[in-house]
Each structure stands twice: as C-alpha cells, then as structure tokens.
Amino acid sequence: MDISGINTLGDLKKSGYESKSIKDELRENLISKMMNKETVFKGVHGYENTVIPELERAILSKHNINLLGLRGQAKTRLARLMLTLLDEYIPVVKGSEINDDPLNPISRFAIELIKDKGDDTPIFWLHRNERFAEKLATPDVTVADIIGDVDPIKAANLKLSYADDRVIHYGMIPRANRCIFVINELPDLQARIQVALFNILQEGDIQIRGFKLRLPLDMQFVFTANPEDYTNRGSIVTPLKDRIGSQILTHYPADIEIAKIITAQEANKVASQKEFIEVPELAKDLLEQIVFEARDSEYIDAKSGVSARLSISAFENLLSTAERRAIISGDSKTMIRLSDFDGIIPAITGKVELVYEGEQEGAHVVAEKLIKTAIKNLFPDYFPEIKKLEKQEEESPYDTIVSWFFNVDTDFELLDDYTDKQYKKELDKIEPLQKLITKYQPNINETDTYFMKEFVLWALVEYNKLSKHRFTEGTQFKDPYGNFISGL
C-alpha cells in the first residue's frame, strides 16, 4: 500500500485501508510467504523440521508462544525474526502513547481527539522495526514497569484527582500495543508479576491501583524460558501457562555440519583474519566436536546447557591465537595449527557450569579433557580405528609412525614460535605420516595436510601410541616407552 500523502484519518478512510489485529497480520503474511516458498526464519539453522514448523503452526493458530529451551538455542532470535511477518507500516493516531489504531481507538486520548477533530485527526505511520518490545525478567521488575501506575506529577500538572484515568502512566505492555512483546526468562518473573499478566492475556483489560480500564490491547506475546529455571530460580505459575497457547521446545544442533554453519555465520571475523588465516575443515569439525563433548561431559551440568555461543567465541579465539602467533613470528600468511586450540580454553571455561566433580578437577583441566576427548572420538572418522585390545603380532597402520619416534635420535618438538615454513619442515620429517594421509585421505589439499599430520600425532597420544609433553615454548612428542628402554 502506498502511504505517501495519507496524513489524516480522512485520508486513511479514502484509501480503503482496513484494520486487522497483529495476530492476523502475522498469520496472513506467513501464509503468503509459505505459498511463495520463501524462507521465513532466515539465518536459523537446524530447526527446519522441528522448531520452525511448530512455530508456524502456533502463528497460524494465533497463539501466544512460549519458547522453552536451554541457553544459546536462538529463542530470542526466533522472536525477533517474527517482525518480518508484520506489515511494513501501520497507521497510528499521532500523539498516542499506546499506538492507537485510528479506525479503532482504545485510549481516552485518541477517542477524544478523533471526536474533536474527526477526519482531520493527524496520523503517522509506524514501521514494523519499531513494533518490537523486549523485557528481561529480573527480580526487580514491578507491576508499574510492565503495566503502569498512577503518576502524581501528571495529576498535579493537569489538576486532576487520582480517580481520573488520565493520571495513569502506562507501562511497557500498554505502550507496546499492536507490537510483538517478548519477556525473556519468564520463570525469573516474580509470581505476583506473572499474575498481573492474566487479564492482559485473556480478557484484554488492565488494572492499576484500583482502576479497571477496559483496554483491549492487541498484542503478540512471546515468552522464553529455560527448563533449569523451573527448579532453580522460579516457575511459571499454572494459570499463566494455561493462557499461553503454544509451548515450543528448542534444541541444540543435531550434527557437526549444522553447528559449523551457525558458527561461521555468527563468528565476528576481522577482515584481516579472513585474508591471511586458513582454517582447515578438520579444524572446524574438531571445534564443534569439542562443544558436542561438552554437552555430554560428566563434569558439566547438562541442565544448564552448553550454549552455541561457546563455539562462536572459541572460533574467534582460535583465529586470534593464530593471528597473534603469525604477528610474533613475522608470517604474512598462516594456517590454524592444533596447538592453537590451547587458545580456546578461556572461551570454554567461561561458558560452562561445572558439577561437583568438575569443580574438583578444575575448569582448565576439564577444558583440556574436552579437547583430548574430541580428538579421540573424531579420529575414527578419518583413519582406521585403533582398538583398545590389539593382538601383539597384528600389524597396525600406525606402526611405522611409532617406530619412527622410537628410532629418532632427538625428541620431536613443535615450537609455538615456529614460522609456517619451520612448522611444515618439522612435520615433513615424519615421512610415515605423509604415507598414512596419502593412503586414507588422498583428496585432502596441501594446507589441510599439515593440520591433519598434527591431528594424527595428538590422536596417537590419546590412544597411548605416543606420549606428549607440553612445555612453555611448545609441544614435544616421543615414543612412550623410549625412556624406559633406554634406561635399562
């Protein structure tokens, strides 16, 4: 609809504009997008066959929605993306505090203004980006904040008694009339505040200090909640749950490929990092595997969840670790090394809730264990599995690598300050490594080869084929029994 030149109520009537509720807007625009095969919730991955169909059904049913899931599961993002289903502009009575529809005014101000000015009543057009309100449920939230309260200063200025409804100062919810209103972490909202939402959700009226105003607010409510909150910090009171039409369960990515897409999309990569740091696919797989291991770890509180923000922050740290190393060594280009994964530990320790056993181990140790476990569990996807119990006479694809370390005269070290040239030169010394990769990963490109070589060494350590020692300047690999035999 062309809104240019429509500035008064009379203009609006002549244009043939018809009012509709926000839930009808969402429903009609969703149907239109679905019929045109458009992607409704762009940038949300892994929910195509689970969460999004349920959310679409809730919108078609014109329900208020509760998104229930652990932290970092795109709950708030889904709510914000619902804005794309609103009409681009809607008319509002100019000067209205609660976005009055000129054709269906509900506030005393708008009703009296239209009564006084008629078709000359001024209007303005509200863009859909302005039709989103959000409130984080914190213990200090009051009924006055979200519903409203009597304003004594307004009463004094207008010379009105407290019995006049014009002295009311509207809270966030009435001011978000005809908008999407999101309350994050609903269980954290005190029970008495939740009770204040009953009438708004069901009957459409608000009550403020003895006033009962019949305000049929037109709103789409979206609540978010974490299941952990139900037992640890609070709960959603039963009558309020009863008034929420659809409760939709969110979840973490089901596989590494989806997780990689999310991380690549969300990570804040500096332009210079993109240009000179090469990231092997195996490094991306390993990063996501670490997060998957964290979600299954006995040391980490599963009820609290492991946010997708962990992999995003970890990836940013990984790039910065490589960038710092390259700056110090003077390389104009570099690639991710497995030793760079030590740099993601601060991103892990700050984003996981440890259980008692994890606290006893220490956050740093738990993070290191996650990296080691991820390497061990990812290794069989690329190379033959190393069985726990092997027959002594049975040949293994890794025997030649272990023999190389047994026979080498000096300890093999990969120092952190090696240039890329030195790093590659050291890894090229282990000829059996190249033969192994050529045999089992023949299509790998040259850049990824060196990361994979180091990956094999770390994996052999986890399977007790080699030993690894981390010291200040770098990492040392050697035969685990070499010292024992040489000491005989």
Side-chain angles (χ1 to χ4, degrees):
M1 178 179 174
D2 182 13
I3 62 171
S4 58
I6 304 177
N7 302 312
T8 65
L9 177 57
D11 296 334
L12 187 67
K13 289 176 180 178
K14 288 175 187 174
S15 71
Y17 177 85
E18 293 182 8
S19 297
K20 55 186 171 183
S21 72
I22 186 170
K23 287 184 167 69
D24 283 327
E25 275 183 65
L26 291 166
R27 175 184 159 81
E28 289 175 18
N29 290 327
L30 173 61
I31 291 170
S32 175
K33 283 180 179 286
M34 290 172 72
M35 291 177 71
N36 293 328
K37 307 297 181 188
E38 294 180 43
T39 302
V40 180
F41 296 95
K42 289 182 180 177
V44 176
H45 304 281
Y47 284 172
E48 292 84 357
N49 301 312
T50 53
V51 176
I52 289 175
E54 291 190 358
L55 188 54
E56 289 173 343
R57 285 193 285 269
I59 293 169
L60 292 173
S61 300
K62 302 199 284 189
H63 283 174
N64 291 313
I65 299 163
N66 181 28
L67 296 170
L68 179 64
L70 298 173
R71 55 184 174 176
Q73 291 186 350
K75 299 187 294 294
T76 306
R77 168 167 289 198
L78 285 169
R80 287 175 180 161
L81 286 171
M82 286 174 65
L83 275 178
T84 61
L85 296 175
L86 294 175
D87 292 344
E88 188 173 5
Y89 288 97
I90 58 166
V92 174
V93 174
K94 197 167 186 177
S96 168
E97 292 181 86
I98 60 171
N99 300 326
D100 276 286
D101 181 349
L103 300 178
N104 293 297
I106 59 173
S107 73
R108 180 164 174 171
F109 165 82
I111 291 168
E112 290 186 351
L113 183 66
I114 291 171
K115 186 178 179 181
D116 179 42
K117 295 197 172 186
D119 286 351
D120 292 329
T121 303
I123 66 169
F124 74 97
W125 292 88
L126 186 67
H127 192 265
R128 61 180 162 220
N129 290 342
E130 303 297 321
R131 297 175 65 193
F132 184 87
E134 187 175 3
K135 179 63 181 170
L136 177 63
T138 52
D140 61 329
V141 174
T142 65
V143 174
D145 292 334
I146 62 170
I147 307 297
D149 203 351
V150 171
D151 185 348
I153 296 174
K154 189 184 281 188
N157 287 339
L158 297 175
K159 297 181 180 178
L160 298 171
S161 76
Y162 285 179
D164 195 308
D165 60 10
R166 285 173 290 180
V167 303
I168 291 174
H169 173 78
Y170 293 112
M172 289 186 70
I173 290 178
R175 288 175 181 275
N177 183 38
R178 303 172 75 197
C179 298
I180 296 171
F181 192 87
V182 179
I183 298 181
N184 284 312
E185 307 303 339
L186 181 60
D188 284 351
L189 205 61
Q190 294 180 52
R192 65 186 180 84
I193 312 298
Q194 293 185 36
V195 169
L197 297 174
F198 290 179
N199 276 23
I200 294 175
L201 286 174
Q202 197 68 38
E203 287 80 22
D205 61 39
I206 61 172
Q207 296 180 18
I208 300 172
R209 291 189 182 273
F211 286 108
K212 183 175 180 181
L213 299 180
R214 185 63 187 167
L215 281 182
L217 297 174
D218 176 24
M219 304 184 70
Q220 171 66 55
F221 280 95
V222 180
F223 304 100
T224 73
N226 188 321
E228 177 197 19
D229 296 345
Y230 288 169
T231 52
N232 285 10
R233 296 201 290 270
S235 63
I236 302 176
V237 297
T238 306
L240 181 58
K241 285 177 73 175
D242 185 51
R243 285 166 166 81
I244 300 171
S246 291
Q247 178 169 280
I248 299 169
L249 301 180
T250 58
H251 56 82
Y252 288 122
D255 57 60
I256 284 178
E257 290 306 314
I258 292 172
K260 283 199 301 186
I261 292 170
I262 295 169
T263 302
Q265 174 182 282
E266 299 300 319
N268 181 27
K269 290 184 283 187
V270 181
S272 58
Q273 289 179 334
K274 293 178 188 176
E275 289 171 9
F276 82 96
I277 301 173
E278 295 194 52
V279 186
E281 280 303 308
L282 176 54
K284 296 175 184 177
D285 289 348
L286 180 57
L287 185 77
E288 301 303 341
Q289 185 68 36
I290 291 166
V291 180
F292 276 63
E293 298 297 338
R295 289 175 186 146
D296 292 333
S297 173
E298 61 183 330
Y299 299 114
I300 293 172
D301 187 0
K303 290 186 298 180
S304 179
V306 177
S307 168
R309 286 183 281 270
L310 192 156
S311 55
I312 296 162
S313 297
F315 186 58
E316 291 167 347
N317 265 18
L318 187 64
L319 292 173
S320 297
T321 304
E323 181 181 31
R324 180 181 179 276
R325 170 175 48 73
I327 291 168
I328 293 169
S329 63
D331 280 327
S332 58
K333 281 196 171 185
T334 190
M335 64 185 127
I336 296 294
R337 302 175 189 175
L338 217 156
S339 53
D340 293 334
F341 274 75
D342 284 342
I344 74 170
I345 290 176
I348 298 173
T349 55
K351 285 189 167 55
V352 294
E353 297 288 335
L354 301 179
V355 295
Y356 177 75
E357 291 81 358
E359 296 285 359
Q360 294 296 101
E361 290 284 334
H364 197 280
V365 173
V366 170
E368 287 180 334
K369 285 185 175 183
L370 292 175
I371 296 171
K372 292 174 181 177
T373 306
I375 291 169
K376 188 173 182 178
N377 290 340
L378 200 59
F379 185 71
D381 291 349
Y382 294 87
F383 297 98
E385 186 180 358
I386 300 175
K387 295 174 183 175
K388 210 168 189 181
L389 298 173
E390 291 178 330
K391 294 179 182 177
Q392 219 165 11
E393 66 277 4
E394 193 176 323
E395 283 191 21
S396 163
Y398 313 104
D399 288 345
T400 53
I401 299 172
V402 175
S403 297
W404 186 92
F405 279 92
F406 181 78
N407 294 316
V408 74
D409 295 331
T410 57
D411 292 330
F412 179 81
E413 295 177 348
L414 290 174
L415 302 184
D416 293 342
D417 62 358
Y418 273 165
T419 62
D420 267 26
K421 190 175 180 181
Q422 290 171 311
Y423 172 74
K424 291 176 181 179
K425 185 180 177 183
E426 286 301 306
L427 284 171
D428 284 340
K429 288 179 181 178
I430 312 172
E431 292 180 12
L433 258 183
Q434 183 60 55
K435 290 177 182 177
L436 180 80
I437 291 170
T438 302
K439 182 176 180 180
Y440 293 104
Q441 295 294 327
N443 299 321
I444 192 169
N445 62 50
E446 185 186 350
T447 306
D448 292 9
T449 298
Y450 289 95
F451 184 87
M452 189 162 278
K453 283 182 177 182
E454 196 178 357
F455 175 70
V456 171
L457 296 181
W458 282 59
L460 292 178
V461 170
E462 296 310 310
Y463 284 100
N464 300 316
K465 296 286 186 181
L466 296 176
S467 67
K468 177 171 69 73
H469 171 62
R470 176 72 185 169
F471 57 100
T472 309
E473 291 82 16
T475 308
Q476 181 188 81
F477 296 90
K478 57 185 177 181
D479 177 74
Y481 309 110
N483 288 345
F484 174 73
I485 294 172
S486 62
L488 291 176

